[in-house]
Amino acid sequence: MRNIRMAISYDGTTYYGFQTQPIGNTVQDVLEDAIRGLTGEQVDITASGRTDAGVHARRQVINFETSSPIPVDRWALALNSRLPDDIIVLQADEADPSFHASYYAKRKTYRYGIDTSKFGDVFDRKYRLHYPMPLRLKEMKEALAHVVGKHDFTSFASRRSTKPSHVRTILDARIEEREGKLDIFLTGNGFLYNMVRIIVGTLLWVGEGKLSPDDFKRILEARDRTAAGPTAMAHGLMLWDVEYED
Amino acid sequence: MRNIRMAISYDGTTYYGFQTQPIGNTVQDVLEDAIRGLTGEQVDITASGRTDAGVHARRQVINFETSSPIPVDRWALALNSRLPDDIIVLQADEADPSFHASYYAKRKTYRYGIDTSKFGDVFDRKYRLHYPMPLRLKEMKEALAHVVGKHDFTSFASRRSTKPSHVRTILDARIEEREGKLDIFLTGNGFLYNMVRIIVGTLLWVGEGKLSPDDFKRILEARDRTAAGPTAMAHGLMLWDVEYED
């Protein structure tokens, strides 16, 4: 069996998330259908991590085993011709048999996009949260800096999280602003269920002046989901990149 | 009667162009329906110019007469709440009774977007032509410079053009390139039917080396549509801005 690794990109707007669900219409289903159409084989795709319904991926990494003899440099073109236009294979190669897209992911970066313009940019409406408020950027940056490092992120995890530990390490957190659009980037060794979206929801309260940067720090330290703000909408979130040790 | 002027923005993907057609589903129809819902009046919208099926507008200007007493600062919000999410009213004001969005437009700028990446950027797929070829940017810029000035643009006009004169003045033409994405901007006092798209289609042949910049110049001078390249696809085209004399 060969272990094929792929980098893919998708517009999550119409999908019920990455991972196969009983309800159907997931990115994984569509990819596995395209691979079956190409190879005749039903493969089982592993991703670096799931993305929720409506969440996008600029660069997601997946792998699967196959006995197909199709040369590795043909996979991307052959699958792209079978995939709908909202899922794209960027790259394919043959990985070491031990490679596993989830276990070996060392760092992931997410971007959360916000559009603060009065009525919203029509061309970005599916990729940014429209939040037409004046936001205190300096305070937001100060608050966000508190998530960098190793912390118990229980306050910023969905109560549906089933992970035994909520300790994660955030390696980098930053906000870029340009013409009323904010990009919030978070890089970490792992993320809990809804973690980026709850951090952003809470950060928006800081931006509006409902919370101070110190309040944000106290919320993180409280390890209590009820202390934090709301879960920001899915469509502003994008898996930006996944990194592996070479 | 009041003369209301609006700046609007729309994603043209699902529309049969700006102007009302027997086939229906145009931007004008949807706007007029929203205005009728708000005011009870059937108005007749004039735009700075039509856009074709699938063409977008970052900033289009329209006007219409109404006897509605709704204050001008309420129009944008009230209409946006009635419009689908792919049409946005950016701004509304009350214009001089003589203002006419088409007659008084002095300059228009169009942008044509091209994505030269191998498999395309999934988030730009509706707004850029995917053209995965190495393009000779220097030659394209040299060719494009020939359109600046006053010329007879018959070579770059659809044969369905019914205009008595094909002489137009292009005030500015430039190409910006960033990470494999090209933006071709054209500013002029007026544009013929399909003019930007035929200029771009011909320019792409220069980019591929099928034509030289001098060939491009000769095509312009030939005043013959059959001499030029193909009409580039609609979805890469965006009405960027419309300017009026104050």
Side-chain angles (χ1 to χ4, degrees):
Chain A
M1 294 291 267
R2 304 160 75 199
N3 189 9
I4 303 289
R5 171 171 49 200
M6 288 181 179
I8 63 171
S9 185
Y10 48 87
D11 179 333
T13 305
T14 64
Y15 294 101
Y16 201 72
F18 182 83
Q19 184 168 291
T20 298
Q21 303 282 340
I23 201 174
N25 198 36
T26 65
V27 176
Q28 182 177 354
D29 293 339
V30 172
L31 280 166
E32 290 181 358
D33 285 354
I35 294 167
R36 192 173 54 242
L38 180 65
T39 65
E41 266 184 343
Q42 177 63 44
V43 304
D44 184 19
I45 291 176
T46 300
S48 73
R50 339 175 164 186
T51 52
D52 279 348
V55 173
H56 315 290
R58 174 181 169 269
R59 188 169 176 277
Q60 163 77 288
V61 175
I62 63 172
N63 77 291
F64 56 89
E65 294 200 324
T66 177
S67 55
S68 164
I70 297 170
V72 80
D73 58 349
R74 303 275 175 82
W75 280 87
L77 193 63
L79 288 177
N80 284 329
S81 71
R82 289 168 180 273
L83 286 166
D85 72 354
D86 51 9
I87 302 178
I88 291 174
V89 177
L90 300 170
Q91 206 186 333
D93 65 1
E94 192 165 342
D96 190 85
S98 67
F99 176 78
H100 185 285
S102 171
Y103 296 158
Y104 293 108
K106 287 295 173 204
R107 278 176 298 279
K108 279 187 212 168
T109 299
Y110 282 93
R111 181 213 74 157
Y112 197 95
I114 297 166
D115 178 358
T116 67
S117 70
K118 193 166 178 188
F119 298 119
D121 178 343
V122 74
F123 305 108
D124 245 349
R125 70 193 187 282
K126 292 180 177 168
Y127 312 120
R128 284 180 188 277
L129 176 69
H130 182 219
Y131 206 80
M133 301 276 202
L135 294 176
R136 303 176 184 193
L137 195 59
K138 187 175 152 284
E139 283 80 357
M140 289 173 74
K141 288 180 175 176
E142 199 180 323
L144 187 61
H146 292 304
V147 305
V148 177
K150 189 172 177 180
H151 302 282
D152 182 317
F153 283 101
T154 300
S155 293
F156 298 127
S158 166
R159 269 162 294 187
R160 285 178 286 159
S161 167
T162 54
K163 299 282 180 181
S165 164
H166 286 167
V167 176
R168 295 290 182 278
T169 299
I170 294 295
L171 301 156
D172 189 45
R174 67 183 201 280
I175 306 179
E176 293 179 4
E177 197 270 343
R178 207 167 65 96
E179 293 172 12
K181 294 184 182 178
L182 303 189
D183 284 319
I184 301 170
F185 290 98
L186 284 167
T187 301
N189 67 347
F191 290 87
L192 302 167
Y193 188 43
N194 283 352
M195 181 169 150
V196 179
R197 291 165 59 189
I198 299 169
I199 289 174
V200 170
T202 310
L203 211 53
L204 284 167
W205 280 4
V206 175
E208 287 186 69
K210 292 179 186 170
L211 296 174
S212 71
D214 282 349
D215 292 334
F216 185 95
K217 183 166 185 278
R218 275 190 289 273
I219 289 166
L220 170 61
E221 289 165 353
R223 302 176 195 188
D224 172 8
R225 172 67 187 92
T226 65
T231 306
M233 289 175 75
H235 72 279
L237 186 61
M238 193 178 286
L239 175 56
W240 195 255
D241 205 2
V242 190
E243 294 165 86
Y244 295 85
E245 294 289 312
D246 284 326
Chain B
M1 294 290 266
R2 303 159 75 200
N3 189 9
I4 303 289
R5 171 171 49 200
M6 288 181 180
I8 64 171
S9 185
Y10 49 87
D11 178 333
T13 305
T14 64
Y15 294 101
Y16 201 72
F18 182 84
Q19 185 168 289
T20 298
Q21 303 283 340
I23 200 174
N25 197 36
T26 65
V27 177
Q28 183 177 354
D29 293 339
V30 172
L31 280 166
E32 290 181 357
D33 285 353
I35 294 167
R36 192 173 55 242
L38 180 65
T39 66
E41 265 184 342
Q42 177 63 45
V43 303
D44 184 18
I45 291 175
T46 300
S48 72
R50 339 174 164 187
T51 51
D52 279 349
V55 173
H56 315 289
R58 173 180 167 269
R59 188 169 176 277
Q60 163 77 287
V61 175
I62 64 173
N63 76 290
F64 57 90
E65 293 199 323
T66 177
S67 55
S68 164
I70 296 171
V72 80
D73 57 350
R74 304 274 176 82
W75 280 88
L77 193 63
L79 287 177
N80 284 330
S81 70
R82 290 169 180 273
L83 287 166
D85 73 355
D86 50 9
I87 302 177
I88 290 174
V89 177
L90 300 170
Q91 206 185 335
D93 65 0
E94 191 164 345
D96 190 84
S98 68
F99 176 79
H100 185 284
S102 171
Y103 295 160
Y104 293 107
K106 287 296 171 202
R107 277 175 300 277
K108 278 186 211 169
T109 298
Y110 283 93
R111 182 213 74 159
Y112 197 93
I114 296 166
D115 178 358
T116 67
S117 69
K118 194 166 179 189
F119 298 118
D121 178 342
V122 74
F123 305 108
D124 245 350
R125 70 193 187 282
K126 293 181 177 168
Y127 312 120
R128 285 179 188 276
L129 176 68
H130 182 220
Y131 207 80
M133 301 277 202
L135 294 175
R136 304 175 183 195
L137 195 59
K138 187 175 153 285
E139 283 80 356
M140 288 173 75
K141 288 180 175 176
E142 199 180 323
L144 187 62
H146 292 304
V147 305
V148 176
K150 190 173 178 178
H151 302 282
D152 182 317
F153 283 99
T154 300
S155 294
F156 298 128
S158 166
R159 270 162 294 188
R160 285 178 286 159
S161 167
T162 55
K163 299 283 177 177
S165 164
H166 286 167
V167 176
R168 295 291 183 278
T169 300
I170 294 295
L171 301 156
D172 188 46
R174 69 181 199 281
I175 306 179
E176 293 180 4
E177 197 269 344
R178 208 167 64 96
E179 294 173 11
K181 294 185 181 176
L182 303 188
D183 284 319
I184 300 171
F185 290 99
L186 283 167
T187 300
N189 67 348
F191 290 86
L192 301 167
Y193 188 42
N194 283 352
M195 181 168 151
V196 178
R197 291 166 58 189
I198 299 169
I199 289 174
V200 170
T202 310
L203 211 54
L204 285 168
W205 280 3
V206 175
E208 287 185 69
K210 292 179 185 169
L211 296 174
S212 71
D214 281 350
D215 292 334
F216 186 95
K217 182 167 188 277
R218 275 190 291 272
I219 289 167
L220 170 62
E221 289 165 353
R223 302 177 195 186
D224 173 7
R225 172 67 186 92
T226 65
T231 306
M233 288 174 75
H235 72 279
L237 186 61
M238 194 178 284
L239 175 58
W240 195 254
D241 205 2
V242 189
E243 293 165 87
Y244 294 85
E245 294 288 313
D246 285 326

